[in-house]
Amino acid sequence: MKLYANIAVSESGYLFNPMNGDSFSTNPVATDIIQQLKEGKNIEEIKKFLFAKYDVEKPTLERDIDEFMNELKDYYLLDNNG
Amino acid sequence: MDKKRKITVAVTGLNAVDSPGPGIAVIRGVRDGKDYEVHIIGLSYESLEPGIYMEGMADKTYQIPYPSAGSEALLNRLEYIQEKEKIDVLIPNFDAELYNFIKLSPKLREMGIETFLPTAEQFEARDKVNLFAFCSKNNFYVPRDKTIYSTSELPGLVKEFGYPLVVKGKYYEASICQTLEQAQKAFHKLEAKWGLPIIVQEFITGTEINIAALGDGTGTTISAVPMRKLFITDKGKAWAGVTLEDQSLVDLAKKFIKVTKWKGGFELEVMRTVDGKPYIMEINPRFPAWIYLTVGAGQNQPEALVKMALGQKVKPYDKYEVGKVFIRYSWDMIIDIAQFQQVSAFGEN
């Protein structure tokens, strides 16, 4: 799964979807996930990256990432064909 | 360096109020053009239209008769204005006045005034009253609707379309109604304001998108820029909006222009459903009030229209900036009562 290529992401994690005009502010963890997605990392690689960076239990991390990915899908930010 | 040609452009729609006419945005676009030295004549209906008094907009303004006075009265007034001003191009910006201007356009040309307007047939085809038939015939997605003359027809439409029902005025305004009583109330209110018929439309859920476009009259699209409203007033008008990147929306405008050979500016009001279908909700036969966003995004539609009206060939724009935002604001101007008096008493300033 990938972010749509034309989603604009600022360094501070502000997202703009040029296809429907939606924009979002994200917290630092979400910004990390989005940056990783932008770099083409897969879910497993992102989980590994976050686990190394943050002090978090693995099940909590997995659940949070799954929830966040679903949110991205709900807001039409993920390219299912990507 | 060649001296720029001086031209005089007349523009209506100076009512830059909370539900604004497009005049001021059109003037800004025309003034931003690089090819001409422009003298702007404002044409107003009311003495308190803010555009009459705004610095750097209309160089001079004349009041013109309301559309209900008919085309003869309008022609007489324009003859008077033309004697003094030598207008080269006239850009009308209200739905309600367009019919008169379209009708008068051959006479205006004889007087030396060029317009760039759709034909009466094109104008009629996209009218709210004919929208369903027009879109169905040309394979555009369109909500079902019915034109009605009496509230007795409402209960049947509730059964057919379900709630909410969209009740629309002949020219402007619409109400979303959740009960029969609301629909009846909206009917009477819109009838009193805009007259009959009233259009009742099926409600479509989705993302509202507007497209400002310009056709050259032969089927070629000169410009098409889609925008999503970011802030909407209680009258449903965009107070802020952002340009979008979506080729399917540009293609929708192109298809409309190809099918109709539309001449002039127009706005497609689209509701894009969750499954991506672009339903055409309304087609406004003139530039929208947010037209200056097209200039900001790199496609100066008012300038292109003026050039085409003067017989110049205009190359279609092929790109615009995505993520350009407009934000409208209100501003209290201070003028002297003498200025207001001049407009109010003499119909010109």
Side-chain angles (χ1 to χ4, degrees), chain B residues 60-234:
Chain B
K60 186 168 169 69
T61 301
Y62 293 86
Q63 286 204 309
I64 55 172
Y66 275 106
S68 54
S71 58
E72 237 0 85
L74 177 63
L75 183 64
N76 290 340
R77 182 64 174 156
L78 290 173
E79 279 169 346
Y80 166 81
I81 299 168
Q82 184 63 352
E83 265 180 35
K84 300 183 164 207
E85 300 296 345
K86 303 279 174 279
I87 296 165
D88 296 295
V89 179
L90 193 154
I91 310 174
N93 290 302
F94 285 124
D95 299 22
E97 69 185 4
L98 273 179
Y99 182 76
N100 282 340
F101 278 105
I102 291 170
K103 202 173 150 193
L104 289 179
S105 58
K107 280 188 183 158
L108 294 179
R109 172 167 277 177
E110 284 171 21
M111 288 159 56
I113 304 175
E114 296 292 343
T115 54
F116 203 74
L117 297 169
T119 63
E121 291 73 31
Q122 291 167 339
F123 180 72
E124 287 297 324
R126 58 82 250 166
D127 190 280
K128 282 181 200 182
V129 177
N130 304 319
L131 183 69
F132 182 78
F134 166 80
C135 288
S136 306
K137 187 181 149 201
N138 294 296
N139 294 318
F140 291 109
Y141 290 106
V142 63
R144 291 174 295 165
D145 69 15
K146 181 112 195 274
T147 301
I148 64 171
Y149 291 84
S150 153
T151 50
S152 64
E153 296 178 73
L154 284 169
L157 292 172
V158 169
K159 266 190 202 154
E160 202 180 332
F161 299 156
Y163 289 119
L165 266 190
V166 186
V167 181
K168 302 172 102 169
K170 191 171 150 187
Y171 292 118
Y172 303 102
E173 294 184 45
S175 287
I176 295 165
C177 305
Q178 304 285 354
T179 65
L180 184 59
E181 291 68 33
Q182 281 179 8
Q184 287 164 339
K185 206 175 148 194
F187 180 102
H188 291 305
K189 196 179 147 199
L190 293 166
E191 181 194 7
K193 201 157 178 188
W194 304 112
L196 290 174
I198 299 294
I199 299 99
V200 178
Q201 199 176 55
E202 169 190 24
F203 185 80
I204 302 286
T205 315
T207 306
E208 192 183 336
I209 290 158
N210 297 52
I211 308 167
L214 176 64
D216 74 348
T218 70
T220 301
T221 300
I222 299 300
S223 165
V225 178
M227 177 277 292
R228 171 158 172 216
K229 295 176 185 176
L230 293 177
F231 188 103
I232 301 174
T233 67
D234 55 0

Side-chain angles (χ1 to χ4, degrees), chain B residues 169-320:
Chain B
K170 191 171 150 187
Y171 292 118
Y172 303 102
E173 294 184 45
S175 287
I176 295 165
C177 305
Q178 304 285 354
T179 65
L180 184 59
E181 291 68 33
Q182 281 179 8
Q184 287 164 339
K185 206 175 148 194
F187 180 102
H188 291 305
K189 196 179 147 199
L190 293 166
E191 181 194 7
K193 201 157 178 188
W194 304 112
L196 290 174
I198 299 294
I199 299 99
V200 178
Q201 199 176 55
E202 169 190 24
F203 185 80
I204 302 286
T205 315
T207 306
E208 192 183 336
I209 290 158
N210 297 52
I211 308 167
L214 176 64
D216 74 348
T218 70
T220 301
T221 300
I222 299 300
S223 165
V225 178
M227 177 277 292
R228 171 158 172 216
K229 295 176 185 176
L230 293 177
F231 188 103
I232 301 174
T233 67
D234 55 0
K235 289 183 179 166
K237 303 294 166 188
W239 201 255
V242 60
T243 53
L244 300 180
E245 176 186 338
D246 191 329
Q247 191 55 39
S248 71
L249 296 170
V250 174
D251 289 344
L252 183 72
K254 283 185 174 176
K255 183 181 167 190
F256 174 79
I257 288 172
K258 196 173 172 194
V259 166
T260 57
K261 295 194 167 44
W262 189 267
K263 188 178 176 187
F266 68 95
E267 180 191 31
L268 290 180
E269 292 186 10
V270 174
M271 192 66 80
R272 189 166 53 187
T273 56
V274 177
D275 54 353
K277 289 177 185 149
Y279 277 79
I280 294 182
M281 309 304 288
E282 217 165 288
I283 302 166
N284 296 317
R286 37 86 198 153
F287 286 138
W290 57 273
I291 195 67
Y292 195 69
L293 180 64
T294 68
V295 184
Q299 300 198 358
N300 191 334
Q301 293 189 11
E303 180 197 18
L305 182 140
V306 167
K307 285 182 179 174
M308 289 193 289
L310 291 170
Q312 257 184 273
K313 259 259 183 244
V314 173
K315 212 174 129 204
Y317 285 105
D318 57 4
K319 56 177 186 283
Y320 58 89

